[in-house]
Amino acid sequence: MAAVPVAALLGVTALAPLPFAVAQPGGTADVLGEYKGKPVLSISGAQLRKTEGELRMTTIVATGPQMDVRLGDVIDGWFRTDRAVMPKDSVYPDGDDVKEVERHNLGDMRESQDDATKAALGYLRANGVDGTDKIKVKADLGKIGGPSAGLFLSLGIIDKLDGDGSGGDLTGGRAIAGSGTIAANGKIGAVGGVALKTQAAARDGATVFLVPKAECSDAEAEKPKGLRLVPVTTLASTVDALRALRKGEDVPSC
């Protein structure tokens, strides 16, 4: 008789919503180009370079804060390499209100854009580029929220204004992807979801993925074949790594 209530309990569990979100690889955007028909970076106050290659920031998409995730979804996510099951409050720490979550994420993005601009211009000043006080930057990634595009916005600004500092592109003509927050002083921070972001990067043609050093093991977990992982810690060391990569020199790997 004990099997009856156990079976009933399992049945209820399978039907009940659980406090998880299921994430998967999202879109990517080349910060040197356009996103949804608009330039990602609009820069005034200086002459811009013509760039080649791509600098692709990466995203993940997750079930919404008000969507029910059930036991079957969780089990499916655990056994698929292109899905990740995450506690809902780690994805949506501000609750279940969709509009409030969107406002919070877009606020994080605006703050990230400001820090990315400060970091990039600070780097250029430190490397002898004149006139940075006259430069104004506006970034537009539509409704993409969160702070994880910060590193790539900084790299895009540097590439458009100064390239590798010797007349070449930071990308070396490659499709470079990655993720990372950035502080105004150029320090790169962790972002989460990098195992899914590497898949988005490879899907969209990237051959190199810049990953915050602390997340190397996560990025290695489901790394697509042919994608090179380069660990990064600061904006300056990231530019150095891209220069070395372009020249065919040794570059750190995860």
Side-chain angles (χ1 to χ4, degrees), residues 174 176 208 228 240-249 251:
R174 294 180 173 88
I176 309 286
V208 176
R228 182 173 185 174
D240 288 343
L242 290 175
R243 284 175 177 158
L245 191 67
R246 186 179 66 80
K247 294 177 182 178
E249 299 172 352
V251 177

Side-chain angles (χ1 to χ4, degrees):
M1 294 297 293
V4 175
V6 170
L9 179 59
L10 289 175
V12 170
T13 302
L15 295 175
L18 300 173
F20 294 105
V22 179
Q24 64 186 58
T28 69
D30 177 18
V31 301
L32 297 175
E34 295 185 344
Y35 180 71
K36 294 190 179 298
K38 296 181 180 179
V40 174
L41 289 170
S42 299
I43 303 174
S44 61
Q47 184 174 354
L48 302 185
R49 300 178 60 256
K50 183 179 179 180
T51 60
E52 294 184 2
E54 298 176 350
L55 287 169
R56 288 195 166 272
M57 54 81 64
T58 55
T59 69
I60 61 172
V61 293
T63 50
Q66 293 181 338
M67 290 183 65
D68 290 340
V69 173
R70 303 185 186 279
L71 183 60
D73 302 315
V74 173
I75 293 172
D76 179 61
W78 277 334
F79 286 96
R80 291 181 59 167
T81 59
D82 62 345
R83 298 286 189 276
V85 179
M86 309 166 74
K88 185 179 284 189
D89 58 8
S90 72
V91 181
Y92 300 109
D94 298 300
D96 292 340
D97 185 279
V98 176
K99 290 185 178 180
E100 182 57 35
V101 168
E102 185 175 287
R103 282 194 295 270
H104 177 82
N105 286 342
L106 290 176
D108 281 349
M109 173 61 83
R110 285 191 292 272
E111 184 176 345
S112 176
Q113 291 169 5
D114 290 342
D115 286 342
T117 299
K118 291 174 183 176
L121 296 182
Y123 171 86
L124 292 171
R125 278 194 298 274
N127 285 272
V129 176
D130 295 327
T132 56
D133 56 320
K134 299 177 182 178
I135 294 171
K136 304 295 181 186
V137 180
K138 181 180 178 182
D140 187 350
L141 283 165
K143 291 188 176 182
I144 295 177
S148 65
L151 169 61
F152 272 68
L153 293 175
S154 287
L155 292 174
I157 294 167
I158 292 169
D159 204 17
K160 282 179 172 289
L161 290 170
D162 195 48
D164 66 356
S166 302
D169 295 290
L170 282 183
T171 64
R174 294 180 173 88
I176 309 286
S179 193
T181 66
I182 197 161
N185 64 4
K187 184 176 180 180
I188 296 167
V191 292
V194 292
L196 298 175
K197 291 178 178 180
T198 60
Q199 296 178 54
R203 179 200 65 211
D204 290 354
T207 56
V208 176
F209 191 92
L210 306 180
V211 58
K213 187 174 182 179
E215 295 183 294
C216 263
S217 59
D218 291 341
E220 284 277 14
E222 303 294 346
K223 182 177 74 73
K225 185 178 180 180
L227 186 67
R228 182 173 185 174
L229 299 180
V230 177
V232 293
T233 56
T234 66
L235 180 58
S237 64
T238 302
V239 174
D240 288 343
L242 290 175
R243 284 175 177 158
L245 191 67
R246 186 179 66 80
K247 294 177 182 178
E249 299 172 352
D250 290 339
V251 177
S253 297
C254 285

